[in-house]
Amino acid sequence: MKAKPKATRKRTSQKRAKAFTGVQALLLFPSEEDRKATLDLMRRFSAGVRYAYNRLLEGQTREALKRENGPLRIFFGLNTRYADDAVMKAQALLDSARERGEDPRKVVFGGRKLFETLRRRHLSGKPLKELKREWKEKRQGLLYSRGDKTKGGNLNLRLLVKDGALWLRINLGDGGYAHALIQTKHPNLSTLLQRVYASLPYNVELSLKDGKVYATFTWEEEPAPLVATKENGVLALDVNSDPYHLALALVSPDGNLKRHLTLSLEEVDRAPNKGAKELLLWKIAHQVVSLAEEHGVAVATERLKHLPKGRRGDGSGRAFRGKQHRFAYASLLRKVHSLARKRGVQVVEVNPQDTSAIGMLKYAPQLSLSKDVAAAYVIGRRALGFKEKLPKGYGKLLRDERFRGHVQGFYASKVQELQAKKAQERNPYLRRRLSREIGEAKRHLSLLSSLQGSPGSQEGSTNGRNPIGVNPWRVLRAGTFLPLLGREVPRDLSPLKVILHRGAWEGWKGGLGPPPGGGPECANVRSA
């Protein structure tokens, strides 16, 4: 429980990321000429981004593309600043595709989903017309200009205040300008006006939707000085979709659990529209950050780019897919991160690999926690640098030949049973589902047969010291949950306490009931 992190662990200062703030607005053009000129500029800029993207793929440099006599200036009539911004947008798309592991040559400007729908040619009339309009807007409706402090804000797309109204002056690149009135009630409008009066830089991006031109103004704000850090501990988060709630675990610097609670997200699910849902998520983010401030601790979460895309709850089928559809985990975490940085609360992101499995197997039965609070606790300990050791009882269990034979027999019988069902099933959808279940059972059988888990994160492995396998947590999950507890994701994990401490498992009869001393059926998630 109080395992110490490695002695060689070094305390390094977290790199402070800049927080972005923005304002969205509708542009109103008093002059139709100005509107047409702006749309033409957006069309040329969008084409310039596509051209720059293809040239970057060929190995051309940013400097060559944006130079005074370069192709973006000559072919698309963009001034030097617009040309540089077009290359920057293209480079960002290229980097994003590579980071996601996608082939950058297969990027579709305008969206692959729209492209595939149009290619099917199954629409006609008004639906086809609307789809083509949307496709055209996405491919031709972009204009971007970065802010520049030396130019007093933004040289190409500059905000001006005239007669108490806010206007956007659009440099058309040929010596002329178009003007549009800014229409918005965004809460950050006053902050944007302050930047305009102070001649501070702001980025501007124009986009086209439903025939209207929208502007997004963004700027960087230096994060506030840190007032709450992981030196005092962390407040770790984990979200589950069924029941829909946020689990919080307050972890002390020595790795012990000081407090835990849950915040229901059901109200978010019942929100009548996207705006109401966003407000509720921001409210919850404020609660989380305020709690971290109160205790002077950092916020610990799963790393955003490593968030699992699979199951995050109990169940499967149509009803469960409906629950997953509402899931707003990434959105909530982004809000928590943004707010924490503004308030000087340190944010620590960790690899989420095996946090749920370790939490369910180790801390849920040991501390009588829900599986989600237990997962949050593992995230918090990982953020503080602690490694999770395999309890002695689990090690004894995995070395027990009778246990291995029992579990292998369970999955072998399950494979035969599912194959027999599939042979008699005529419904193609149910056959596919049975095929997936057969594949999963075979994977578990293979895992138990070799007792070799897939390589896991360092925090969830035995680092080669245990002969059982590189990652015994996954072996344990496959060997205990379904064969002994009767569910792939059990609600009640208290029966594992006997195994965790003593390695005793014979009390089970093929997963039909808990062992002697096992806990009752319960929902151990409590409300805040």
Side-chain angles (χ1 to χ4, degrees):
M1 176 66 181
K2 294 185 179 180
K4 296 181 179 179
K6 285 187 177 181
T8 56
R9 181 167 64 102
K10 296 181 180 180
R11 294 179 178 178
T12 57
S13 59
Q14 185 189 43
K15 185 179 180 180
R16 305 301 310 281
K18 292 185 178 180
F20 278 85
T21 305
V23 170
Q24 293 80 40
L26 174 66
L27 298 188
L28 301 177
F29 292 88
S31 167
E32 183 62 23
E33 261 187 46
D34 283 359
R35 182 178 181 277
K36 289 181 178 179
T38 301
L39 292 178
D40 180 67
L41 177 60
M42 295 171 73
R43 177 188 60 80
R44 289 184 281 117
F45 184 89
S46 300
V49 172
R50 297 195 298 272
Y51 177 88
Y53 184 88
N54 290 321
R55 301 294 79 75
L56 289 172
L57 278 178
E58 295 171 357
Q60 293 193 28
T61 64
R62 178 176 177 176
E63 290 70 23
L65 290 169
K66 72 175 186 178
R67 65 177 184 263
E68 185 71 25
N69 60 343
L72 293 176
R73 293 290 314 278
I74 297 172
F75 297 157
F76 304 101
L78 303 176
N79 64 29
T80 304
R81 282 184 173 272
Y82 278 139
D84 191 24
D85 290 335
V87 179
M88 190 206 70
K89 276 288 187 183
Q91 185 65 60
L93 286 170
L94 184 60
D95 294 341
S96 177
R98 286 171 175 166
E99 286 176 4
R100 295 194 305 269
E102 298 176 357
D103 186 347
R105 295 170 298 179
K106 295 183 179 180
V107 168
V108 177
F109 288 86
R112 179 169 296 279
K113 185 177 179 180
L114 278 176
F115 174 73
E116 295 293 346
T117 305
L118 282 170
R119 196 168 67 168
R120 288 168 59 189
R121 298 184 179 180
H122 65 294
L123 298 176
S124 62
K126 188 175 180 180
L128 178 60
K129 185 178 180 181
E130 287 296 313
L131 195 67
K132 286 184 175 180
R133 178 190 57 75
E134 185 180 357
W135 168 254
K136 184 177 179 181
E137 287 180 348
K138 286 185 177 295
R139 282 182 63 86
Q140 300 183 1
L142 174 66
L143 181 62
Y144 178 78
S145 177
R146 281 173 298 165
D148 190 336
K149 187 175 183 179
T150 63
K151 303 299 180 182
N154 194 306
L155 190 61
N156 277 334
L157 301 175
R158 184 181 293 276
L159 286 168
L160 305 172
V161 179
K162 295 181 181 178
D163 302 324
L166 186 61
W167 293 78
L168 181 65
R169 189 190 71 184
I170 303 165
N171 186 347
L172 298 175
D174 56 0
Y177 296 92
H179 294 82
L181 183 65
I182 302 294
Q183 185 181 75
T184 183
K185 294 182 179 179
H186 198 281
N188 289 331
L189 178 59
S190 59
T191 308
L192 177 60
L193 285 171
Q194 291 174 13
R195 298 189 72 82
V196 174
Y197 289 131
S199 298
L200 294 174
Y202 49 87
N203 309 317
V204 186
E205 182 171 313
L206 304 189
S207 57
L208 189 59
K209 184 178 180 181
D210 298 330
K212 298 178 181 179
V213 180
Y214 293 88
T216 301
F217 304 91
T218 58
W219 59 92
E220 292 178 342
E221 289 184 347
E222 291 292 340
L226 286 177
V227 297
T229 69
K230 69 176 184 178
E231 302 301 322
N232 302 320
V234 297
L235 179 67
L237 286 67
D238 189 65
V239 174
N240 193 60
S241 63
D242 185 23
Y244 196 24
H245 67 270
L246 174 67
L248 302 169
L250 184 63
V251 188
S252 61
D254 60 4
N256 286 315
L257 182 65
K258 293 176 63 177
R259 180 186 175 189
H260 66 88
L261 67 153
T262 63
L263 300 176
S264 174
L265 298 177
E266 294 295 338
E267 192 178 356
V268 176
D269 189 38
R270 294 191 294 268
N273 52 56
K274 184 177 180 180
K277 182 177 180 179
E278 286 291 296
L279 287 174
L280 288 169
L281 288 173
W282 275 113
K283 180 181 176 181
I284 293 167
H286 276 273
Q287 289 179 269
V288 172
V289 176
S290 295
L291 186 61
E293 284 181 307
E294 178 186 339
H295 292 277
V297 299
V299 170
T301 72
E302 299 178 11
R303 194 169 293 131
L304 278 171
K305 67 178 182 178
H306 288 165
L307 286 181
K309 298 178 182 179
R311 180 178 302 173
R312 294 193 61 85
D314 305 340
S316 60
R318 182 180 300 176
F320 183 74
R321 288 195 297 271
K323 293 173 184 177
Q324 281 191 310
H325 183 69
R326 68 188 180 178
F327 211 45
Y329 190 23
S331 177
L332 177 58
L333 287 193
R334 281 193 290 268
K335 290 172 174 58
V336 170
H337 288 189
S338 173
L339 191 60
R341 291 187 176 109
K342 287 181 181 179
R343 292 191 181 181
V345 175
Q346 184 182 13
V347 176
V348 184
E349 296 182 78
V350 303
N351 189 332
Q353 189 172 359
D354 298 324
T355 53
S356 294
I358 296 171
M360 287 190 285
L361 288 162
K362 187 174 182 180
Y363 296 113
Q366 183 176 345
L367 302 177
S368 299
L369 302 174
S370 74
K371 62 184 181 62
D372 312 305
V373 170
Y377 182 33
V378 175
I379 290 171
R381 285 175 55 83
R382 188 169 291 183
L384 292 169
F386 289 91
K387 316 299 180 183
E388 300 298 347
K389 294 182 179 179
L390 191 71
K392 292 181 179 179
Y394 284 149
K396 179 181 176 182
L397 178 73
L398 293 180
R399 287 187 290 269
D400 190 327
E401 293 183 4
R402 290 173 299 171
F403 170 74
R404 294 203 299 266
H406 169 78
V407 176
Q408 290 170 11
F410 172 86
Y411 280 114
S413 298
K414 187 173 178 63
V415 169
Q416 292 178 0
E417 178 186 346
L418 291 171
Q419 287 175 338
K421 286 184 178 180
K422 182 181 175 183
Q424 297 176 0
E425 183 59 59
R426 294 293 175 263
N427 187 316
Y429 299 101
L430 294 179
R431 284 178 62 85
R432 280 200 291 270
R433 178 176 177 177
L434 288 169
S435 295
R436 288 194 296 270
E437 292 180 4
I438 291 170
E440 186 70 16
K442 286 183 176 179
R443 282 191 291 274
H444 287 327
L445 182 60
S446 175
L447 188 66
L448 268 297
S449 297
S450 62
L451 280 178
Q452 289 287 336
S454 302
S457 64
Q458 193 176 19
E459 291 81 351
S461 71
T462 55
N463 298 323
R465 294 186 299 272
N466 194 314
I468 291 167
V470 176
N471 191 331
W473 298 106
R474 297 179 188 178
V475 179
L476 280 167
R477 180 169 184 164
T480 58
F481 284 5
L482 194 58
L484 300 187
L485 296 179
R487 295 191 64 174
E488 291 184 9
V489 186
R491 295 290 187 113
D492 180 20
L493 294 153
S494 58
L496 293 177
K497 195 167 187 177
V498 177
I499 299 180
L500 187 147
H501 291 297
R502 302 202 303 266
W505 66 278
E506 283 92 351
W508 274 289
K509 300 297 181 183
L512 297 179
E521 292 290 333
C522 64
N524 53 1
V525 176
R526 64 184 183 89
S527 299

